[in-house]
Amino acid sequence: MSDQDSENAGRPDEPTLILPPRHVGFMTRLRNYFFTGLVVAAPIGLTIWIVRWFIDLVDTWFTPLIPSQYQPDNYLPFDLPGLGLLIAFVLLTLLGALTANFFGRAVLTFGERVVSRMPVVRSIYGALKQIFETVISQSAASFREVGLIEYPRKGIYCIVFITTQTKGELVHKTGTELISVFLPTTPNPTSGFLLFVPKQDVQVLDMTIEEGAKLIISAGLVEPPHRMKDAVETVVPVSNPAST
């Protein structure tokens, strides 16, 4: 043992200074409790309000279809919310079953011919029908991946929803393999821009569509957890240089 080690061994241990915990004032704790309650109650309250508003809206449209003498309010001592929603479900199901047979298709074709003769109505009807047919038919394949592109210039990144592989004239004119992506806006992700981006310029992310929508709606405040895809990092041990 060296002289320095002997001197350190004989020296008593120096006392460790332990600071007391920081005192949190009553107003600070009250504010924290308030914001915690707000974070818990706001999503629940807004969800209940939106669901109730939708049910009341559908009830307003479809409940008057029931004759007044058969209204449930005449027999029950309380309101029956959701009756219009049930009626709408039954009517839409019956309408789908009706248009699936020959007679229903003939009536629908005749009605579309009548609408096609109306200058303004035919444009609105045609656009809405095409949108709904596209959404319903491709709901299983569309908006299944979240991507990252550089927009509106290099070095600035935006989250997009990958829709489908671009085909037709666009690919023929550009001579490039393109991907159709939807660039949503904040805080309303239902509006945005349709972009046709080269496939090599789109980075597919691991987050789900729901997580990407939350990130956009919250303006980046709600970030999804980062999931590594079996990434194994090689750790190089740091050792002391060999003594000569």
Side-chain angles (χ1 to χ4, degrees), residues 74-154:
N74 299 330
Y75 306 97
L76 298 177
F78 54 87
D79 295 335
L80 188 63
L83 181 62
L85 193 63
L86 179 61
I87 297 174
F89 175 78
V90 173
L91 291 179
L92 291 177
T93 303
L94 293 177
L95 181 61
L98 179 64
T99 55
N101 55 42
F102 177 78
F103 176 76
R105 287 196 298 268
V107 175
L108 181 62
T109 303
F110 175 76
E112 289 183 343
R113 288 179 180 176
V114 174
V115 173
S116 63
R117 298 171 182 262
M118 304 178 183
V120 179
V121 177
R122 66 185 179 188
S123 301
I124 299 176
Y125 173 77
L128 292 177
K129 181 182 178 182
Q130 186 175 8
I131 290 174
F132 276 94
E133 286 180 348
T134 303
V135 171
I136 297 300
S137 62
Q138 298 184 359
S139 59
S142 300
F143 283 65
R144 296 183 60 181
E145 292 180 317
V146 182
L148 189 68
I149 65 172
E150 292 185 276
Y151 181 88
R153 63 171 177 83
K154 292 288 185 180

